[in-house]
Amino acid sequence: MVITSSEGFNASGEGKALNSPILILAQSVRVRMGNGQVVSGKVDADGNIRISL
């Protein structure tokens, strides 16, 4: 799950990690979203990818 949030705003979606099939806490990861867009974020403790705005 890819998650982004800011004050008063939350969004999430699904995608496929492009870097590594094994996600490590705080690792930077690139993810291809369902629409083909590639985003970058960091792995959180739950295995989700967090994108900072």
Side-chain angles (χ1 to χ4, degrees):
M1 176 83 52
V2 177
I3 302 169
T4 189
S5 61
S6 187
E7 191 173 325
F9 172 82
N10 291 311
S12 63
E14 302 228 356
K16 180 176 179 172
L18 299 176
N19 298 55
S20 170
I22 299 171
L23 301 178
I24 300 168
L25 182 62
Q27 173 187 11
S28 291
V29 179
R30 292 177 53 212
V31 178
R32 183 174 313 279
M33 303 302 291
N35 65 0
Q37 179 182 13
V38 176
V39 297
S40 296
K42 291 194 181 268
V43 179
D44 72 8
D46 295 324
N48 297 313
I49 311 301
R50 293 273 176 182
I51 299 172
S52 299
L53 296 178

